[in-house]
C-alpha cells in the first residue's frame, strides 16, 4: 500500500533485548510508475507492479526501426501477470513476451509475436518463473499508438534473512 511508514529495530543478546529504536516516516511507498520501453528503461525492472509502455509513451506513437526490451524480475516473484490496456501496432511490428529473463525463456506470445491481428487485449499473460522478458521490434513502414500494459506480482514463499555476526564482548 502506498504511504509513509515508521521502521523500528530492536536487538538482543544473552543479556537481553535492547531498547527499541524507531525512525518515523523512514520508508515511503509510492504508486507504481510508467516504464517506457527504450533507451530510458532501467534494466532490469525490480518493481512488483507497474506499467510498461512503448517508447512513444501514453500519448505518442512508437518509433520506426527500433528494437527495445525489458526484463521484469521482482524480488521473490512466484507469478507475474501482465494485462494490456492498449495494443495497436502495424503488421510487421512485433511484441514478444517470454517467461524468463531473456528470449531463451518460454514464449508467451503466439507465433512470431503479438502484432496487428493478434492482440493480447483481454488476455492475461502469466509468467511463473519469477521473471518476464518483453522484446518489441518495429520496421520502417509506419507506426501507431502502440501498447500500454500493467503487471502485478504474486510473491512466493520467501524466508526472511537471519543476521549472523560476531562482535567482541569487551571493548578497549
Amino acid at each position: 500500500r502506498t504511504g509513509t511508514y515508521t521502521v523500528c529495530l530492536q536487538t538482543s543478546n544473552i543479556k537481553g533485548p535492547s531498547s527499541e529504536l524507531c525512525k518515523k516516516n523512514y520508508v515511503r511507498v509510492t504508486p507504481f510508475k510508467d516504464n517506457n520501453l527504450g533507451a530510458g528503461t532501467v534494466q532490469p525492472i525490480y518493481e512488483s507492479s507497474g506499467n510498461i509502455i512503448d517508447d512513444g509513451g501514453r500519448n505518442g506513437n512508437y518509433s520506426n526501426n527500433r528494437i527495445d526490451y525489458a526484463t521484469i524480475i521482482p524480488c521473490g516473484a512466484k507469478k507475474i501477470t501482465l494485462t494490456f490496456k492498449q495494443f495497436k501496432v502495424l503488421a510487421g511490428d512485433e511484441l514478444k513476451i517470454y517467461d524468463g529473463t531473456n528470449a531463451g525463456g518460454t514464449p508467451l506470445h503466439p507465433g512470431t509475436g503479438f502484432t496487428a491481428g493478434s492482440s493480447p487485449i483481454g488476455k492475461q499473460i502469466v509468467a511463473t518463473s519469477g521473471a518476464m522478458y518483453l522484446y518489441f521490434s518495429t520496421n520502417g513502414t509506419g507506426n501507431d499508438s502502440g501498447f500500454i500494459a500493467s503487471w502485478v506480482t504474486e510473491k512466493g514463499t520467501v524466508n526472511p534473512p537471519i543476521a549472523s555476526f560476531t562482535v567482541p564482548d569487551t571493548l578497549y
Side-chain angles (χ1 to χ4, degrees):
R1 294 186 185 171
T2 60
T4 304
Y5 297 90
T6 298
V7 175
C8 297
L9 175 68
Q10 183 177 37
T11 62
S12 63
N13 60 22
I14 59 173
K15 292 188 175 190
S18 69
S19 58
E20 189 174 75
L21 174 65
C22 294
K23 290 205 173 226
K24 290 188 182 286
N25 302 322
Y26 191 66
V27 174
R28 185 180 61 158
V29 178
T30 58
F32 54 84
K33 63 177 187 164
D34 289 351
N35 294 275
N36 287 67
L37 223 55
T41 304
V42 176
Q43 288 290 326
I45 300 169
Y46 294 111
E47 286 92 359
S48 59
S49 60
N51 298 315
I52 192 89
I53 302 171
D54 64 79
D55 74 299
R58 288 187 175 272
N59 301 314
N61 287 359
Y62 59 85
S63 301
N64 286 325
N65 296 315
R66 289 186 64 98
I67 293 177
D68 294 318
Y69 56 89
T71 305
I72 301 169
I73 186 165
C75 182
K78 175 181 175 184
K79 181 167 78 169
I80 302 166
T81 303
L82 185 69
T83 306
F84 284 81
K85 297 176 179 162
Q86 171 184 305
F87 190 83
K88 193 167 182 189
V89 302
L90 299 182
D93 299 334
E94 298 174 335
L95 176 64
K96 299 177 182 186
I97 305 172
Y98 298 90
D99 187 352
T101 58
N102 56 40
T106 304
L108 300 174
H109 55 268
T112 60
F114 292 107
T115 188
S118 66
S119 171
I121 295 287
K123 300 176 175 91
Q124 289 190 332
I125 313 294
V126 179
T128 56
S129 68
M132 182 179 280
Y133 180 75
L134 291 86
Y135 181 93
F136 186 48
S137 60
T138 67
N139 60 29
T141 62
N143 54 29
D144 211 324
S145 55
F147 65 87
I148 300 172
S150 299
W151 79 88
V152 293
T153 302
E154 180 182 319
K155 299 286 187 177
T157 304
V158 178
N159 294 327
I162 298 173
S164 178
F165 51 89
T166 305
V167 293
D169 61 356
T170 305
L171 296 175
Y172 299 97

